[in-house]
Amino acid sequence: MTNELSKGSRERRIKDKDLFETVEEVFDTKTVMTIYELMKRRVLRRVNGVISAGKEARIYLAYSFNKDPLAVKIYLTSTAEFRKGVVKYIAGDPRFNGVNIGGIRRLIYLWAKKEFRNLKRMYEVGVRVPKPIAVLNNVLVMEFIGEEGLRYPLLKEVWKELSREELLKVYELLIEEIKKIYCLAKLVHADLSEFNVMVKPGGVPVIIDVSQSVSIDHPYAEEFLVRDIRNIYDFFYSEVGLEVADFKDILKEVRSCRGVKEDLSQE
Ligand SMILES: Nc1ncnc2c1ncn2[C@@H]1O[C@H](COP(=O)(O)OP(=O)(O)O)[C@@H](O)[C@H]1O
Ligand SMILES: [Mg+2]
């Protein structure tokens, strides 16, 4: 690893050194070892600055050996609060039946794996999400949504700069994405809002942050679906002031695929 880091210009070396000092300060040894292991497996070549520092996870910009930008989501070994918050989404999901959720570290690993699986399932049916690349312990690697090292903005951050036509396009595409998630991936996002949608130039939404997404068989799936649609509806109707379909009609439209899976999957 030292070899890898000592390549390149002096300036770059200093940057990397700074980064690794930061990483080592912020993360426990196991997390640092996980990042090293991903480098050894040639998933990551280098890790740059932090993109976002949330309560439960940090996102870093990184680069692959092909120099493609990547987003690395690192779950922090967290508090009892985290445990309380996440258990609801795992317990009850048939995919996690019989899985021992054990101690906090195990739970976080499971949570990262769950986000990876959800991303994969959505990506495979054509939902606009970052392409999942790898997951190891509490570290998830995915496609970077942005250009030249700068992430694209969140819907929350950018909507005021968009034209009515672009906003309408984002809205319509988002409803399509919700339908694909529900009807094709058979999942419910469960934390959908203007804070978890990035917007590519031209008004193309990309859905992120899918760790809490649940199977449609989860006992709270319908409740989460209603909440997701409610958030999107409220945002476009009340905050943006866009004339959108009635909340109940959107919900009905999304749900209309239940039982007609075959027809939809051929679209
Ligand atoms: N694949 C990605 N590419 C670029 N930026 C990302 C990517 N995923 C997340 N981000 C940025 O990091 C922030 C936090 O990511 P998110 O998955 O929503 O985690 P959380 O909200 O749990 O902290 C996002 O709001 C977004 O700005
Ligand atoms: Mg988020």
Side-chain angles (χ1 to χ4, degrees), residues 28-239:
D28 54 280
T29 318
K30 271 214 149 146
T31 302
V32 176
M33 291 319 288
T34 302
I35 297 168
Y36 283 167
E37 181 60 29
L38 285 165
M39 288 175 160
K40 214 171 89 191
R41 293 188 194 177
R42 299 181 73 81
V43 174
L44 300 176
R45 196 177 105 67
R46 46 184 271 122
V47 181
N48 283 47
V50 71
I51 301 171
S52 157
K55 223 169 65 193
E56 281 144 15
R58 291 178 148 244
I59 315 269
Y60 286 87
L61 168 67
Y63 288 92
S64 72
F65 278 82
N66 298 330
K67 301 207 167 81
D68 292 327
L70 301 168
V72 179
K73 186 167 184 174
I74 304 180
Y75 287 91
L76 307 169
T77 314
S78 191
T79 53
E81 191 109 332
F82 176 82
R83 188 185 166 91
K84 233 172 53 202
V86 305
V87 159
K88 185 172 166 194
Y89 295 86
I90 292 179
D93 192 319
R95 293 174 300 161
F96 291 91
N97 274 351
V99 173
N100 169 20
I101 53 178
I104 192 74
R105 190 180 295 277
R106 242 188 107 105
L107 186 63
I108 282 160
Y109 291 2
L110 196 61
W111 198 239
K113 206 156 133 194
K114 185 170 189 278
E115 173 144 33
F116 184 81
R117 284 171 61 173
N118 286 337
L119 262 186
K120 191 156 179 272
R121 204 150 135 174
M122 291 184 198
Y123 186 80
E124 281 170 357
V125 297
V127 180
R128 293 183 169 91
V129 288
K131 181 182 182 186
I133 293 168
V135 66
L136 183 64
N137 302 334
N138 56 332
V139 180
L140 184 156
V141 183
M142 62 187 143
E143 175 192 358
F144 176 71
I145 305 300
E147 59 188 306
E148 290 175 17
L150 291 177
R151 67 167 176 89
Y152 288 138
L154 299 174
L155 179 55
K156 174 71 190 173
E157 297 164 335
V158 81
W159 71 269
K160 285 186 180 148
E161 292 159 34
L162 301 179
S163 67
R164 239 190 83 82
E165 286 66 38
E166 283 172 323
L167 283 165
L168 211 57
K169 181 175 166 191
V170 175
Y171 166 76
E172 278 165 4
L173 287 175
L174 260 180
I175 300 300
E176 284 306 308
E177 298 312 303
I178 298 175
K179 268 167 86 175
K180 283 192 262 175
I181 293 173
Y182 187 71
C183 301
L184 302 180
K186 306 252 177 258
L187 294 170
V188 174
H189 185 288
D191 190 22
L192 196 61
S193 76
E194 62 276 23
F195 292 93
N196 281 330
V197 174
M198 301 183 81
V199 183
K200 285 187 171 179
V204 178
V206 178
I207 292 176
I208 57 162
D209 208 357
V210 302
S211 56
Q212 70 297 310
S213 302
V214 296
S215 154
I216 55 169
D217 301 320
H218 187 289
Y220 298 133
E222 290 303 311
E223 202 181 294
F224 293 149
L225 178 72
V226 170
R227 193 177 63 189
D228 281 355
I229 295 177
R230 170 62 72 192
N231 288 344
I232 296 300
Y233 171 83
D234 282 351
F235 174 73
F236 281 100
Y237 184 75
S238 309
E239 197 162 338

